[in-house]
Amino acid sequence: MALSSRHQDIVALVAAAGELTVEALSDRLGVSRETVRRDLARLESTGHLRRYHGGARALAAPGAEPDEERPFAQRMVQNAAGKKRIALAARELFGPEDSLFIDTGSTTIAFAEALATRPALVAITNAPRIAATLAAPHTHKVFLLGGAYGADAGESLGPLALEQIGKFRARHAVLTIGAIDAHAVMDFDLQEAEVAKAMIERADRVTVLADHSKFERGAVFEVAPLARIDRLVTDLPPSEAMRRALTEAGVELIVADAE
C-alpha cells in the first residue's frame, strides 16, 4: 500500500526520534490526536512502526536497543511525556536549601523545568540551559561550571569542569545515564561519564533519572556500580530481573505515576 504524505511524515519523524508520543506527533503535524492514533494503527498494521500506549516506536532489529546514543536533539523529543513524568516525580524528592549537582541530559532538562517552581535550593550544573532555567525565578542559587564546550548537548566538559566540581560539596547528585544493567549505570561518552563520576564523588546521595529505554542496555563507560546509587526514578516498571538487581543493590526504585 502506498503511504500518504502524512503517513510518510509520521514514519520519518518516528524513525528520526526513535519514539514519539501521540501529543508530539499531533503538534508536529497540526492534526488532532485522534487522527494520529488512527494513522499509527494503520502504520502498525502495515509493518511501518510499533505502537505503545500513548505513542509509537521505530522498528528495530530483533534483540533490543542499539548500544549507541542518538544525537541530543533526537533525545530531547524521544519519550518526552515519560521524561516529564520522571521530572515531576523527582522534584518531590528535594526540599528547601538542598544542594544538587545536576548533569546534562534531556531528562535533567525536564527535571530543571519542574524544579524551577520549587522553594529555593542550590544547583551546580555543567549545562547552561539548566542553569538558565533554574536562575529564571530568581529564587535558586545557581553555579554554572565552565570548561570545554560540547556543542551537541550544550555542556561543559573536560579537565576544567572536573576541577571546578572538586570545589563543591553537595547533598545530592542528580544524573542521567545512557544505559543501566544488573551491575552498573553507564554512559556512551567518556567525558560525560567523567563529569557524572566526579559529581558522585562530591555528593552524599545519588539519584538517577532514566526512562525505560535505558534498562538492560550496555554502554562503553561505567559511571557507577548499582550499589552507589541511592534512588532511581523511571517512567515504567523494569523487568523482574532488573527490579531484583536494584533491590539487591539497595537502590530505591521510584516509578512515576501515569498522567
Side-chain angles (χ1 to χ4, degrees), residues 6 19 21 28 35 64 73 84 109-110 135-136 145 182 184 209-210 237 248 250:
R6 188 174 70 242
E19 63 181 59
T21 64
R28 294 281 195 91
T35 296
K84 181 179 179 180
I109 286 174
L145 303 167
L209 312 182
E248 291 174 354

Side-chain angles (χ1 to χ4, degrees), residues 119-138:
L121 47 78
V122 178
I124 308 112
T125 182
N126 67 325
R129 179 168 175 176
I130 289 174
T133 298
L134 291 174
H138 303 288

